[in-house]
Amino acid sequence: MPGPEALEGRTVEVRVPATSANLGPGFDTLGLALSMYDELEVTALEPGVYEIEVSGSGAEEIARDASNLVVRSIAHVFADAEVAMPGIRLVARNGVPHGRGLGSSGAAVAAGVLAAQGLLEGIVELDDAALLRLATELEGHPDNVAPALFGGLTIAWTGERGPQHKKLLVHRGVSPLVLVPGYTMSTKAARSLQPDQVPSEDAVFNVSRSALLIAALTQSPDVLLDATDDRLHQDYRAPAMPETNRLVRALRAEGFAAVVSGAGPSVLVLCDGPGSRLDAVRIAEAATDTPWIPQMVAVDVRGGTVRERAEGSSSQS
């Protein structure tokens, strides 16, 4: 097995999309990749050296040493592969909003796992199952990392063979809109509001809506409003983000399939066409005192990508 010095100078370029998990009733199971991206360049250096540059969302809060989440994710893959870890130069341009329920931590984990895959190409081969396993070990659950890695709409679960996923194509009539507030929400804090038990009728309700949601997103967008109804998590978390709750209710009252994106506080609206997104934005402008930044995104169907940058080539994406 070659040592880390054999990797020195190898550079890979990585691009990973934002994700929205849950989608209403699909708690910890469903995720959707969206066309906002983190872009990174990762270069192997001599062991123990870390050079980290970050711009974009969350840049002022991100670690510039070995504790950086992307670097830790790379190290996790190298340790699993039993290959000595090189030093890392990381240049990251973050387009995924941090702390807004759009999968920023999952994007960082996916980026690190993909970067490691690229750096280890020709030494250790990592297939999709290995990528998902390693990313889930880091993230704790697969609902964000699965769409970040593979794109599209994903159903993720954990069974006897570890974390698994099924990727589905979204109906072309679905036009996502993300409404992003200026404030953040801790995923840990949001999860702390969840009860340990829920009424059986609420569990049955969400099972039916989750099944309907798969049909709505892939075949029948006309039933998206009913399909995105939820009783397992959004109401319990509402007191922690009242403006988000108010906006979701206002949009749904007007017939829009609006849900809390992930743990919040962003709102995802699954519209039935580009024109209706403008109507949803107008409702958002009037519904709350909070300014909402509209992001008219597409479903990302490709997922995360990694490629080796040839020596001497431009570093521009």
Side-chain angles (χ1 to χ4, degrees):
M1 188 73 70
E5 66 280 353
L7 299 175
E8 287 182 31
R10 177 177 283 190
T11 297
V12 295
E13 297 175 345
V14 180
R15 189 176 191 241
V16 290
T19 56
S20 183
N22 302 328
L23 310 182
F27 184 61
D28 280 1
T29 300
L30 300 181
L32 189 65
L34 302 171
S35 61
M36 294 183 284
Y37 300 95
D38 286 350
E39 298 178 330
L40 306 92
E41 295 173 4
V42 180
T43 301
L45 304 176
E46 63 180 289
V49 176
Y50 298 98
E51 300 174 1
I52 298 173
E53 300 175 21
V54 185
S55 60
S57 182
E60 64 283 354
E61 304 168 358
I62 293 173
R64 263 65 171 184
D65 55 22
S67 67
N68 178 280
L69 183 53
V70 174
V71 175
R72 286 194 284 118
S73 300
I74 295 170
H76 182 72
V77 178
F78 271 75
D80 186 80
E82 299 182 340
V83 177
M85 176 70 174
I88 294 292
R89 177 185 296 121
L90 169 64
V91 180
R93 295 174 290 276
N94 291 343
V96 178
H98 277 226
R100 303 309 201 282
L102 290 164
S104 58
S105 66
V109 168
V113 170
L114 287 168
Q117 180 192 40
L119 293 174
L120 288 168
E121 186 175 358
I123 301 169
V124 175
E125 298 304 317
L126 299 171
D127 61 13
D128 287 353
L131 294 174
L132 183 59
R133 173 181 63 81
L134 291 161
T136 302
E137 288 171 356
L138 289 155
E139 181 73 350
H141 45 87
D143 55 331
N144 280 114
V145 293
L149 287 169
F150 308 118
L153 168 66
T154 59
I155 308 169
W157 70 97
T158 301
E160 293 181 356
R161 295 178 294 152
Q164 307 289 317
H165 84 287
K166 176 64 178 178
K167 175 180 175 180
L168 301 172
L169 296 179
V170 175
H171 192 283
R172 61 183 180 181
V174 177
S175 295
L177 166 68
V178 179
L179 297 162
V180 184
Y183 59 91
T184 62
M185 180 70 191
S186 161
T187 299
K188 183 177 180 180
R191 283 186 173 273
S192 72
L193 300 173
Q194 295 290 126
D196 293 331
Q197 296 180 332
V198 297
S200 60
E201 57 267 28
D202 288 351
V204 172
F205 181 94
N206 269 57
V207 168
S208 68
R209 295 311 189 273
S210 296
L212 181 61
L213 183 54
I214 298 300
L217 285 170
T218 60
Q219 298 177 348
S220 306
D222 56 298
V223 295
L224 273 169
L225 181 61
D226 284 343
T228 49
D229 210 353
D230 160 70
R231 292 183 183 175
L232 287 189
H233 64 102
Q234 292 183 136
D235 287 347
Y236 295 111
R237 296 173 173 182
M241 38 187 166
E243 294 291 282
T244 296
N245 180 57
R246 191 174 295 119
L247 179 56
V248 168
R249 290 181 180 276
L251 286 163
R252 295 187 68 83
E254 295 295 328
F256 288 93
V259 298
V260 179
S261 180
S266 294
V267 173
L268 172 69
V269 191
L270 298 169
C271 299
D272 59 5
S276 65
R277 294 194 290 194
L278 298 175
D279 295 330
V281 170
R282 283 191 284 269
I283 293 171
E285 290 172 346
T288 76
D289 296 329
T290 296
W292 299 88
I293 299 172
Q295 300 281 354
M296 297 189 185
V297 296
V299 175
D300 174 276
V301 298
R302 192 175 184 187
T305 60
V306 59
R307 65 174 184 175
E308 184 169 4
R309 179 160 62 85
E311 187 175 351
S313 67
S314 170
S315 64
Q316 299 298 312
S317 298

